[in-house]
Amino acid sequence: EPEVTQTPSHQVTQMGQEVILRCVPISNHLYFYWYRQILGQKVEFLVSFYNNEISEKSEIFDDQFSVERPDGSNFTLKIRSTKLEDSAMYFCASSEVLGGSSYNSPLHFGNGTRLTVT
Amino acid sequence: QKEVEQDPGPLSVPEGAIVSLNCTYSNSAFQYFMWYRQYSRKGPELLMYTYSSGNKEDGRFTAQVDKSSKYISLFIRDSQPSDSATYLCAMSETSGSARQLTFGSGTQLTVLP
């Protein structure tokens, strides 16, 4: 079964450094997402991306975050200047488009990148 | 009031038991309801996906949605030790330009052999 893959599985960085988290969505999917899960807390929506632009973003997704689809297969999340509170599991997800609407197609998640900011 | 509430557990049952997991929600605009299973240090894995009210069955799993009560359930029959995981409910509205899921906090389930 096709799956969403994420690299690296664990990233340790120092406060203030830039990190790039990488994802390869399922190949026929057109909508891409980033979610995060701080340890012991709920999975939270960050951003959705379609047709090479951001569709929706949450209040968490401020100016230090950016997303990009640099080629036909990868989808990246960049955090420009990491803070301690950015430590979390970051999940990439994708969904296909059915009937022209993403609401009929569920999300499939990758196994996440554990980001530790020291 | 939180938008989605889920009993965090932990819930521990013997193998073969019927498990009932529940979520309540306050946003009447939610139309799509999902259950995800999450093993430790893994991503959420989609288990069940339903639209609007009613029941949906898939093997040992049954998802139930009662929109009038704003209540959804997941039943697991003949539970197995491999079902031990955290179960997350999630839901979304129909409006907006793309899907945005709202998750419950998850219920940690242990099935004892």
Side-chain angles (χ1 to χ4, degrees):
Chain A
E1 185 173 327
E3 58 181 24
V4 176
T5 56
Q6 291 186 244
T7 54
S9 58
H10 190 190
Q11 175 86 48
V12 181
T13 190
Q14 288 190 326
M15 195 167 52
Q17 296 296 304
E18 175 182 288
V19 293
I20 297 176
L21 310 182
R22 303 180 191 279
C23 170
V24 178
I26 295 173
S27 61
N28 65 330
H29 286 187
L30 298 177
Y31 281 80
F32 314 116
Y33 314 84
W34 285 100
Y35 282 76
R36 80 172 185 189
Q37 187 176 29
I38 295 171
L39 186 64
Q41 298 187 24
K42 291 183 179 184
V43 176
E44 301 173 291
F45 170 77
L46 291 179
V47 66
S48 59
F49 189 87
Y50 170 71
N51 199 27
N52 284 319
E53 59 183 25
I54 290 174
S55 300
E56 282 184 286
K57 60 182 181 180
S58 71
E59 62 277 4
I60 302 169
F61 194 88
D62 60 21
D63 291 344
Q64 69 163 337
F65 292 94
S66 62
V67 289
E68 192 178 34
R69 187 150 165 84
D71 53 44
S73 60
N74 291 285
F75 179 51
T76 62
L77 174 69
K78 182 191 290 185
I79 309 175
R80 262 180 275 283
S81 178
T82 51
K83 304 171 190 168
L84 294 176
E85 55 265 35
D86 294 329
S87 296
M89 281 289 284
Y90 287 81
F91 293 107
C92 174
S94 68
S95 64
E96 61 182 328
V97 177
L98 293 173
S101 167
S102 69
Y103 299 102
N104 293 326
S105 63
L107 270 66
H108 295 267
F109 285 83
N111 284 330
T113 293
R114 179 172 300 279
L115 176 65
T116 302
V117 182
T118 62
Chain B
Q1 182 182 12
K2 293 181 184 176
E3 201 165 27
V4 179
E5 301 225 33
Q6 185 176 5
D7 186 341
L11 180 62
S12 184
V13 301
E15 183 175 354
I18 297 174
V19 176
S20 173
L21 305 169
N22 311 294
C23 286
T24 59
Y25 62 93
S26 57
N27 184 353
S28 57
F30 286 141
Q31 296 286 336
Y32 296 86
F33 305 93
M34 288 135 277
W35 286 95
Y36 284 85
R37 177 173 61 194
Q38 187 177 24
Y39 292 113
S40 180
R41 298 182 181 272
K42 297 289 187 181
E45 171 197 6
L46 181 67
L47 272 180
M48 300 288 285
Y49 173 74
T50 54
Y51 169 70
S52 198
S53 286
N55 290 1
K56 183 175 182 179
E57 189 173 317
D58 184 0
R60 296 185 294 111
F61 299 92
T62 299
Q64 198 171 74
V65 175
D66 182 350
K67 289 191 70 184
S68 61
S69 302
K70 297 191 180 65
Y71 187 87
I72 69 170
S73 300
L74 177 71
F75 298 97
I76 307 174
R77 290 183 298 281
D78 187 24
S79 56
Q80 303 294 309
S82 58
D83 295 328
S84 299
T86 297
Y87 289 80
L88 305 168
C89 64
M91 41 199 85
S92 67
E93 302 177 22
T94 56
S95 61
S97 60
R99 177 179 295 270
Q100 181 179 135
L101 292 182
T102 301
F103 282 86
S105 56
T107 299
Q108 187 179 345
L109 172 67
T110 301
V111 180
L112 303 170

